[in-house]
Amino acid sequence: MKIGIIGLGLIGGSLGLDLRSLGHFVWGMSRKEATCESALEMGAIDKWFSDFIHLPQDNDVIFLCTPIGGIIPTLQDLVTTDRLLPQTIVTDVGSVKTAIVTEGEKLWSNFVGSHPMAGNAQSGIQAAQAHLFNARPCAVIGQPSSPQASLVAQLWRSVGMEVYFCDTVAHDRAVAWISHLPVVVSAALSLACDREDSSAIKQLSRALASSGFADTSRVGAGNPELGKWMAQANKQSLLTAIDNYETSLAQLKQTIESEAWDDLEYHLTTAHNLRPHYLRE
Ligand code: NAP
């Protein structure tokens, strides 16, 4: 297939590496020329373009992998510069779907939203890696009976992802719990630690921090711009999730204050038993 990737960072670059290794022709476009050159050197793309007017028109699929705020303006540019043939499918990888898909479908009838649930705390083309998507879940917006959604699903499966079809509202509510709330909670943890008023204790806690702190602070230390866009675009579902988190935190705090140790153990046992329902390890 002839595939375009716009936005060559962690997700776009990693996708290019995998799609090229499957034999697809992949062109890329990014904001900076130096990024395009790096992507070419590392084998993530076959060719790059610096402006819309020179992009090829005969593409099967174009992946929009810019930060969330750049996805719809990029699609708008593709449409206004007449870069899309009627059969070209455009998809995006944005972490929120209602805001993007509602606008995307208005601009292009063959627009399919998707969201690969893969990543790490790094960003930019230098963070791109092969097999990033392998054995991770991916949401595709639409029904398996839609030829467009089914082609997008097929491409994500080809790089090792397990695809789940859903609508935008269900997607945004679900990711508020398992992706957006963790960013806020994890960031709050680091910010709370920094409130320690003794500099000697703060220094000691920094020296002693190990795997537990690494696990719980990781997602809050990711790309701040991405976190901001995510909260703006999924504000209501995120606020609902934060309200529920505050309720759970207050409940745990109450058991400690009242020394209800059996109740605390009960809640921790419930959490212990819930975790495997969310993670396939
Ligand atoms: P990233 O590493 O920062 O990569 C995005 C790249 O897009 C930047 O490196 C930038 O490259 C380029 N870019 C920025 N604005 C652009 C524009 N207007 N036009 C063309 N290129 C532009 O971010 P990422 O983590 O790959 O995230 C990209 C998308 O994937 C986001 O929409 C995010 O919601 C989604 N996503 C991320 C994760 C994750 O865990 N990171 C997971 C799933 C989905 P230059 O400025 O260097 O050219």
Side-chain angles (χ1 to χ4, degrees):
M1 279 192 214
K2 189 163 183 175
I3 295 174
I5 298 178
I6 304 184
L8 297 167
L10 170 68
I11 299 295
S14 301
L15 182 61
L17 287 168
D18 285 356
L19 291 176
R20 283 195 71 239
S21 75
L22 292 167
H24 299 290
F25 177 86
V26 180
W27 58 258
M29 183 177 176
S30 207
R31 197 170 40 177
K32 299 187 196 120
E33 292 196 353
T35 302
C36 298
E37 274 300 331
S38 298
L40 189 68
E41 274 166 30
M42 66 166 59
I45 51 173
D46 292 282
K47 192 176 166 78
W48 60 269
F49 298 90
S50 53
D51 52 46
F52 286 91
I53 209 70
H54 292 108
L55 292 181
Q57 278 182 312
D58 57 337
N59 303 295
D60 295 296
V61 180
I62 298 178
F63 286 84
L64 306 180
C65 301
T66 68
I68 294 172
I71 291 171
I72 291 302
T74 302
L75 178 59
Q76 180 80 66
D77 284 337
L78 285 170
V79 171
T80 52
T81 53
D82 202 20
R83 293 300 93 192
L84 303 174
L85 293 180
Q87 67 271 22
T88 306
I89 293 171
V90 182
T91 186
D92 77 299
V93 297
S95 319
V96 291
K97 296 273 63 101
T98 306
I100 292 172
V101 174
T102 308
E103 290 306 308
E105 286 179 347
K106 282 186 209 156
L107 288 167
W108 190 243
S109 59
N110 277 346
F111 183 80
V112 176
S114 57
H115 181 194
M117 303 295 297
N120 56 44
Q122 295 171 303
S123 59
I125 188 65
Q126 300 305 337
Q129 61 183 81
H131 313 304
L132 179 75
F133 307 103
N134 193 40
R136 311 301 308 167
C138 178
V140 171
I141 304 304
Q143 300 288 335
S145 53
S146 144
Q148 292 87 345
S150 141
L151 182 78
V152 171
Q154 185 193 319
L155 280 170
W156 285 120
R157 286 194 190 104
S158 74
V159 296
M161 301 205 90
E162 196 174 333
V163 169
Y164 295 87
F165 290 93
C166 59
D167 64 41
T168 61
V169 175
H171 169 276
D172 288 356
R173 283 183 61 180
V175 295
W177 290 112
I178 50 82
S179 184
H180 303 170
L181 178 63
V183 170
V184 174
V185 169
S186 169
L189 170 70
S190 296
L191 296 171
C193 290
D194 201 50
R195 287 180 198 276
E196 167 59 53
D197 46 23
S198 153
S199 60
I201 299 292
K202 195 188 279 188
Q203 223 172 342
L204 184 62
S205 56
R206 287 179 179 188
L208 294 178
S210 187
S211 53
F213 187 80
D215 288 347
T216 45
S217 62
R218 182 179 64 81
V219 292
N223 184 341
E225 192 189 18
L226 183 57
K228 181 187 75 177
W229 282 112
M230 177 195 85
Q232 282 178 336
N234 201 18
K235 180 182 160 192
Q236 211 41 59
S237 296
L238 178 57
L239 286 176
T240 303
I242 292 172
D243 282 345
N244 280 279
Y245 180 77
E246 285 176 340
T247 303
S248 297
L249 195 60
Q251 187 179 42
L252 291 172
K253 186 181 175 191
Q254 170 62 30
T255 60
I256 296 167
E257 269 171 356
S258 59
E259 300 186 359
W261 305 123
D262 287 345
D263 288 353
L264 180 63
E265 187 176 349
Y266 169 79
H267 292 310
L268 294 177
T269 303
T270 305
H272 172 91
N273 292 336
L274 279 170
R275 192 168 186 267
H277 290 285
Y278 288 84
L279 296 171
R280 327 148 191 73
E281 282 175 354

